[in-house]
Amino acid sequence: MFLKTDQTYLRALEPTDLEFLYSLENDTTVWHVGNTLTPYSRFVLEQYLENAALDIYAVKQLRLIICNETHQAIGAIDLFDFDPLHRRAGIGIVVTEEHRGNGHAADALKLLLNYCRDTLRLHQVYCSVTATNLPSINLFTKSGFEQVGIRKEWFLTPDGWENVVEMQRIFHNHQEV
């Protein structure tokens, strides 16, 4: 397996991930960052899993499962809006609450960035992070992302409007990820 560190690895979706995805996608505490307002059914997720093996060039997205050293699924990391012409993609990441803060997200992001640069040969990646999500802003900043803008009052949350920080990482030659 090439997408691996000592404590974290990334793998393709499997049919056995249905229940994990069901709980992840229906976690209402993160719906506001994914533009989701309704729950996902198991049927819809089964269909998604059936098509997950399609090539990133065909579907313009890729979801990988983040696993820890005990092979437990603890999160997901996504490439979306994949644009092979302009060699860029968006990145999203979520780690289950009980596994946050122990380096798995940083490992997963580093692995994905290497994949984007070395395998997909992307020129840049970007993400959007709510301004109050300081752990995510720090994660992306430590991974070489720069803030390139703020979308004011972009997300409506139960607590009111929230700004979104736009971040971008451009790969220059073979710089360290």
Side-chain angles (χ1 to χ4, degrees), residues 27-36 130 132 155-158 162:
D27 180 356
T28 59
T29 63
V30 295
W31 276 5
H32 70 282
V33 297
N35 291 327
T36 301
T130 54
T132 57
F155 283 131
L156 179 59
T157 72
E162 193 163 351

Side-chain angles (χ1 to χ4, degrees), residues 6-7 22 33 50 80 108 124 150 158:
D6 290 339
Q7 72 167 358
Y22 184 76
V33 297
E50 287 177 17
F80 59 91
Q124 62 183 290
I150 295 181

Side-chain angles (χ1 to χ4, degrees), residues 126-142:
Y126 62 91
C127 65
S128 303
V129 182
T130 54
T132 57
N133 188 346
L134 297 180
S136 287
I137 291 172
N138 290 334
L139 168 71
F140 284 103
T141 300
K142 288 179 183 177

Side-chain angles (χ1 to χ4, degrees), residues 6-41:
D6 290 339
Q7 72 167 358
T8 309
Y9 67 92
L10 305 179
R11 64 166 174 77
L13 289 166
E14 299 285 349
T16 56
D17 290 322
L18 178 61
E19 289 305 315
F20 177 71
L21 285 179
Y22 184 76
S23 66
L24 202 64
E25 295 292 349
N26 290 306
D27 180 356
T28 59
T29 63
V30 295
W31 276 5
H32 70 282
V33 297
N35 291 327
T36 301
L37 295 175
T38 57
Y40 283 89
S41 70

Side-chain angles (χ1 to χ4, degrees), residues 16-155:
T16 56
D17 290 322
L18 178 61
E19 289 305 315
F20 177 71
L21 285 179
Y22 184 76
S23 66
L24 202 64
E25 295 292 349
N26 290 306
D27 180 356
T28 59
T29 63
V30 295
W31 276 5
H32 70 282
V33 297
N35 291 327
T36 301
L37 295 175
T38 57
Y40 283 89
S41 70
R42 283 182 175 82
F43 176 73
V44 166
L45 291 171
E46 283 173 354
Q47 290 181 315
Y48 173 73
L49 284 169
E50 287 177 17
N51 294 315
L54 295 175
D55 185 65
I56 187 172
Y57 288 91
V59 295
K60 308 295 188 227
Q61 64 183 11
L62 172 68
R63 170 167 279 186
L64 298 170
I65 296 296
I66 304 168
C67 296
N68 63 14
E69 64 276 3
T70 64
H71 309 291
Q72 179 184 14
I74 61 167
I77 191 163
D78 300 328
L79 286 178
F80 59 91
D81 291 339
F82 175 66
D83 185 335
L85 174 62
H86 299 292
R87 295 175 34 208
R88 65 178 172 239
I91 292 181
I93 186 170
V94 62
V95 173
T96 57
E97 188 173 355
E98 63 271 21
H99 292 97
R100 292 178 190 156
N102 54 18
H104 292 295
D107 281 356
L109 184 55
K110 182 176 182 173
L111 291 167
L112 188 68
L113 290 173
N114 282 328
Y115 176 75
C116 288
R117 182 194 64 202
D118 299 338
T119 303
L120 296 176
R121 305 188 48 83
L122 295 183
H123 174 64
Q124 62 183 290
V125 289
Y126 62 91
C127 65
S128 303
V129 182
T130 54
T132 57
N133 188 346
L134 297 180
S136 287
I137 291 172
N138 290 334
L139 168 71
F140 284 103
T141 300
K142 288 179 183 177
S143 296
F145 284 72
E146 295 180 29
Q147 181 177 322
V148 295
I150 295 181
R151 294 181 189 262
K152 299 209 181 266
E153 298 182 5
W154 197 250
F155 283 131

